[in-house]
Amino acid sequence: MKQLDDFYLNQEEPIKGTFLALKDIILKQDKDITHVLKYGMPFFCYKGKMFCYLWIHKKLKQPYIGIVEGKHFEESFLIQEKRSRMKIMMFNSEEDLPLEKIELVIQKAINLYKSGIVKV
C-alpha cells in the first residue's frame, strides 16, 4: 500500500488533488472496487478484474481516467486515440471535475462486469 500512497504523494499540484479526488469518487461507486498499483499506476478492480486506472497524458500533461473496456462506450467525451480496447476521459486540473460524467462512466464500466458482457 505504501507504493500506492507514494504514487499520489509524488504528484505535483494541481494533478495530485485531481487524482486524490478521482480516487475517492471511483472507490465510492461500489463496495467491490479495490485499489492496487500495477504497471506503476493506480488501477481500480471490480471483483479482481481491472476496469479503470489513473494516469497523465504524455503530450497534453493532463490527468485522465483510462477505461479498460472503453471499446464498449460511445460517449463523445471519451477519447480512443490509437488504443484498440481502452478509452480515456481527460481532465483539466484547473477546473471542477464533471462528477456526473465520471460517475456515469464508472457505473457503466462496472455494469459491463455485473451483466456478464465482460467476464469476472
Side-chain angles (χ1 to χ4, degrees), residues 28-109:
K28 286 179 183 171
Q29 299 305 306
D30 194 285
K31 64 178 175 43
D32 290 317
I33 295 175
T34 55
H35 187 215
V36 297
L37 192 72
K38 287 186 185 272
Y39 314 110
M41 59 182 85
F43 264 89
F44 299 86
C45 302
Y46 178 75
K47 294 187 176 180
K49 288 283 276 188
M50 296 184 291
F51 79 93
C52 76
Y53 61 95
L54 301 177
W55 202 237
I56 301 170
H57 195 280
K58 283 186 176 86
K59 290 180 185 165
L60 302 176
K61 306 289 186 228
Q62 288 184 315
Y64 68 82
I65 295 175
I67 305 298
V68 173
E69 296 293 338
K71 66 183 180 186
H72 295 280
F73 291 67
E74 298 300 325
E75 282 73 12
S76 60
F77 55 84
L78 294 176
I79 304 163
Q80 189 152 16
E81 293 179 323
K82 294 179 181 170
R83 300 169 184 88
S84 60
R85 182 177 170 200
M86 301 184 190
K87 288 188 179 179
I88 65 171
M89 182 177 183
M90 278 202 291
F91 305 99
N92 180 340
S93 290
E94 304 295 331
E95 297 175 2
D96 288 343
L97 290 171
L99 186 58
E100 286 182 13
K101 283 183 179 179
I102 296 166
E103 290 175 341
L104 169 87
V105 168
I106 298 304
Q107 286 300 323
K108 193 170 175 181

